[in-house]
Every structure is written in C-alpha cells, then in structure tokens.
Amino acid sequence: MAFLLEMTSYAQNTDHDLMLGIKANDAAAFTALFNRHYRNLYLTALNILRRDDVSRDLVQDVFTQLWVRRHELEIAYPNAWLQQAIRFQVFKAIRDQKIDERFYDRLMETSSELLDEQPLLFKELDGLVREILASLPADARRIFLLSREEKLPYREIAVKMEISVKTVEKKMTATLKVLRSRLRDAMFAIIP
C-alpha cells in the first residue's frame, strides 16, 4: 500500500523532477517516468516497425539504458530525449534486421513524422536520401523512383525499361542496401 501512495505522489512531478530522482537512484521515480512515457514510445516504434514484440523490446532497451546510464546522462528535456532514443533504436533495429523492401516506405513515414516534430532533422534526412539517390547509377535511380514514387510494380518497370524483372529486383535490392548502409551511418551522426 505504501508503494501505491508513493507512486501517486509522483504523478504531480514533472519529467525533469523525475529525472532528478532517477539520478539519485530513486526506482519509484524511474517507474513513474516509465509508466508516463511507455505507451507513446511503444506506439512510435510500432508505427514504423509494425512488429509488436520488437517494439516492446526496443522501449525496454531505451529505459534500461536510461537506468544504467542515469549518473552520466545530462537530460534537460526527458520527453524529447526518450523520443529520440526510441527513434535511434528503431533505426538500429531496421539496420540490424536487414529489413525487407518496405524499409523505404517506413523511412518515408518516419520522415514525414520528423517533418512535423523536428523539421531540421527531417531536412537533414531528406537531403541525405536525395544525395544518396543522386549518387546511384542512372538506371538504378530510375528503377527506384518508378517503384517508390510512381508505385509501379516490378513487371511494369521491366516492360517500361525493356529489361528483365530479375534485373529490376537485383537493382532494387542493391539500391535498398546502399540506402540502409548510408542512412545507418547518418542516423548515428544525426540522432544523439
């Protein structure tokens, strides 16, 4: 019963106050912060990954790292830090899982969310995607744009470009690999 009373007293505290408690090894403050932000972080991850189990694990990882590193972290805005941390974990999961062809679609969804929430970060990400696409060979870039922007299936792209469907598949796979690799490196630089 005393634990429940303690928890309700934390409901009035700001995130900043809870972080001060966490730095002072207050597990109840940590639990209060976890309960306050878990759902939003989970939904952020789930919206991109579309995988319940992975999304839950990533949120757990974010909070585990927060607790483990509580004495060294200087977090002025806990909500913003948590949102960036979950996005970082999501991008890391995409990289590590060698996500399928829907990777680019999820990247674009995430980018549009960033446009609303963090326009400078979105601008950097969008510029990087454009730079990567510009560095591709012309045929690979055209295949990619026909697939993603014009939403053409591989068969139609093959007919339009007078190449085999197998060639379209190979070039798309190579392009997505380049995007994943270059964006992974950028995410480590862009997202703290």
Side-chain angles (χ1 to χ4, degrees):
M1 190 64 148
F3 179 71
L4 289 175
L5 290 174
E6 261 189 351
M7 288 305 296
T8 29
S9 69
Y10 283 103
Q12 307 301 321
N13 291 42
T14 66
D15 286 352
H16 183 70
D17 293 337
L18 294 175
M19 284 303 303
L20 293 174
I22 291 167
K23 275 186 144 327
N25 301 322
D26 185 344
F30 176 80
T31 301
L33 190 74
F34 177 90
N35 291 337
R36 186 177 291 174
H37 293 282
Y38 178 87
R39 180 170 168 72
N40 285 336
L41 298 178
Y42 164 74
L43 291 174
T44 296
L46 184 65
N47 187 37
I48 299 165
L49 296 173
R50 310 276 195 251
R51 297 226 7 232
D52 177 68
D53 57 335
V54 175
S55 298
R56 290 181 190 284
D57 288 348
L58 294 180
V59 175
Q60 292 288 342
D61 290 346
V62 165
F63 279 103
T64 299
Q65 285 302 309
L66 174 63
W67 182 255
V68 168
R69 298 178 57 209
R70 67 189 176 278
H71 298 296
E72 66 189 65
L73 292 172
E74 294 298 327
I75 302 173
Y77 302 100
N79 183 43
W81 186 89
L82 289 167
Q83 283 296 324
Q84 285 198 337
I86 195 63
R87 285 193 183 102
F88 174 79
Q89 290 297 328
V90 165
F91 284 116
K92 190 172 157 190
I94 289 170
R95 175 202 69 198
D96 292 347
Q97 292 178 1
K98 297 184 168 93
I99 293 300
D100 60 23
E101 210 170 287
R102 291 182 22 220
F103 164 78
Y104 184 76
D105 297 331
R106 286 191 298 276
L107 177 65
M108 290 303 101
E109 288 173 20
T110 304
S111 297
S112 65
E113 290 173 16
L114 286 176
L115 177 61
D116 293 336
E117 297 171 19
Q118 297 188 16
L120 292 177
L121 186 57
F122 171 80
K123 190 174 181 179
E124 285 184 50
L125 183 60
D126 184 55
L128 181 59
V129 169
R130 290 179 190 282
E131 178 185 310
I132 294 168
L133 291 176
S135 73
L136 295 173
D139 59 337
R141 181 175 50 251
R142 184 167 181 225
I143 289 168
F144 183 83
L145 294 174
L146 288 171
S147 172
R148 300 305 183 204
E149 290 184 359
E150 294 186 29
K151 307 285 187 215
L152 294 180
Y154 287 178
R155 232 181 205 34
E156 287 183 40
I157 295 170
V159 169
K160 191 172 197 156
M161 294 185 67
E162 299 176 351
I163 57 176
S164 72
V165 174
K166 205 68 158 158
T167 301
V168 172
E169 289 172 0
K170 284 182 183 177
K171 296 220 181 252
M172 278 298 291
T173 299
T175 298
L176 290 171
K177 185 177 179 181
V178 168
L179 275 169
R180 272 194 301 271
S181 173
R182 299 254 323 262
L183 289 172
R184 176 198 66 217
D185 296 340
M187 285 302 110
F188 285 115
I190 294 173
I191 299 176

